[in-house]
Amino acid sequence: MSATSGEIAENLVRVRERIELAALRTGRRPEEITLIAVSKTQSARKIQELYEAGARHFGENRVQERESKLAHLAGLDATWHMIGHLQKNKTSKAARLFSSIDSVDNLALAEKLDRARGEFNAESANTSLAASEPLLAASGNRLRVLIEIKLDPEPAKSGADADELPRLVEGILRLPNLELGGLMGIPPYVDDPEDARSYFRRLRALRDAMRAQLGAEALPVLSMGMSHDFEIAIEEGATEVRVGTALFGQREGT
Ligand SMILES: *Cc1c(COP(=O)(O)O)cnc(C)c1O
């Protein structure tokens, strides 16, 4: 069921408690973990409510949906993440509407985002930017990206194959308007979240292997874990969890 007014704030408290406990279980500091509230299909009113309860990171999976809610949420000082598959013809908008693209899975897409963010930064630096155009993303800085790795063997699922990772990392690190944060991954759906653990481990191992080449500070971000498995993901090293249903209740039509 979709959460009602008041329930959303309570859900946030509960999810935060669970994040804290999962972190402490494995000797991690809860502050290391960023909660991204996945607001796809949710109304601007509910997003506003979660914001007022304290949420500051939001995830959307469609550029158009972010755009349609924009006017209603213009006053929020929040960080917006694109977490869904991004079509190449939407890169220009995405580079303006989001602070982070968490689902980059090929170099051509990264190159397009780099160019689009460069253009956006140049336009915003020019004070003649139409006052009617709301400032959509924090401009002037680099667009953060995460590389999405395909953890689910199902062919239709998005993400780059693990063996493409070194080439992707090398390519993205050369792009001046992007900042490579780390990796994102979605395990196959399993009834028992414990069964997702090996997939989270694998994503972390891929990151650690890259660190062996790039240095211990490289790729700090591991975005993994959703409503039904975020605690397992945190135990395996997640620094960002993407949680929708546990905050907002069941999405319409699901
Ligand atoms: C919808 C979605 C989520 C959140 O899923 P819940 O099960 O509702 O927490 C997380 N990540 C991605 C990429 C999504 O599309």
Side-chain angles (χ1 to χ4, degrees):
M1 269 233 307
S2 182
T4 57
S5 186
E7 280 175 8
I8 286 179
E10 281 173 37
N11 289 346
L12 180 61
V13 171
R14 240 175 278 131
V15 167
R16 285 214 171 124
E17 275 169 6
R18 289 168 61 190
I19 289 173
E20 193 174 321
L21 288 173
L24 296 176
R25 266 201 299 282
T26 42
R28 302 184 61 199
R29 290 181 303 120
E31 313 85 73
E32 288 170 21
I33 295 136
T34 301
L35 171 63
I36 299 173
V38 175
S39 51
K40 63 187 185 199
T41 80
Q42 305 296 345
S43 66
R45 189 188 57 73
K46 285 191 169 177
I47 295 169
Q48 177 87 37
E49 197 175 325
L50 196 64
Y51 178 85
E52 279 161 17
R56 287 296 177 270
H57 287 257
F58 293 90
E60 289 281 347
N61 68 340
R62 288 173 63 237
V63 174
Q64 251 160 305
E65 192 178 331
R66 164 87 177 107
E67 206 175 15
S68 72
K69 293 182 208 167
L70 189 70
H72 305 283
L73 299 168
L76 305 199
D77 181 17
T79 302
W80 291 87
H81 298 248
M82 171 64 185
I83 60 170
H85 178 70
L86 183 59
Q87 289 164 299
K88 291 215 175 65
N89 62 357
K90 298 272 167 54
T91 49
S92 178
K93 275 189 176 159
R96 290 157 193 261
L97 291 163
F98 292 94
S99 301
S100 181
I101 309 294
D102 296 356
S103 51
V104 172
D105 62 2
N106 67 83
L107 195 53
L109 177 63
E111 285 166 347
K112 280 198 157 221
L113 285 168
D114 177 63
R115 246 173 281 134
R117 185 63 166 208
E119 283 164 19
F120 175 53
N121 286 345
E123 279 168 35
S124 331
N126 180 343
T127 45
S128 70
L129 181 69
S132 60
E133 190 174 341
L135 200 54
L136 306 175
S139 61
N141 45 23
R142 297 199 279 175
L143 176 64
R144 193 192 79 159
V145 297
L146 302 181
I147 296 173
E148 182 180 353
I149 294 292
K150 189 171 175 299
L151 297 177
D152 190 334
E154 177 71 34
K157 292 296 162 70
S158 59
D161 286 330
D163 57 7
E164 298 169 37
L165 182 61
R167 196 183 71 88
L168 268 173
V169 168
E170 193 194 334
I172 293 174
L173 286 175
R174 274 199 240 108
L175 300 173
N177 302 301
L178 300 187
E179 178 190 317
L180 179 58
L183 307 182
M184 189 270 249
I186 308 171
Y189 183 83
V190 285
D191 286 330
D192 181 357
E194 191 57 46
D195 294 334
R197 189 183 293 278
S198 62
Y199 294 93
F200 296 138
R201 261 189 203 161
R202 183 160 162 254
L203 194 68
R204 188 199 177 133
L206 287 170
R207 193 278 306 275
D208 291 349
M210 290 309 303
R211 281 191 165 175
Q213 295 175 34
L214 299 168
E217 307 290 306
L219 308 183
V221 178
L222 283 176
S223 174
M224 55 189 198
M226 309 179 12
S227 289
H228 75 294
D229 58 13
F230 68 84
E231 288 145 307
I232 306 284
I234 289 168
E235 289 172 13
E236 295 303 327
T239 65
E240 293 182 5
V241 292
R242 305 175 313 273
V243 178
T245 319
L247 292 168
F248 288 105
Q250 206 65 42
R251 280 180 288 277
E252 300 293 321
T254 59

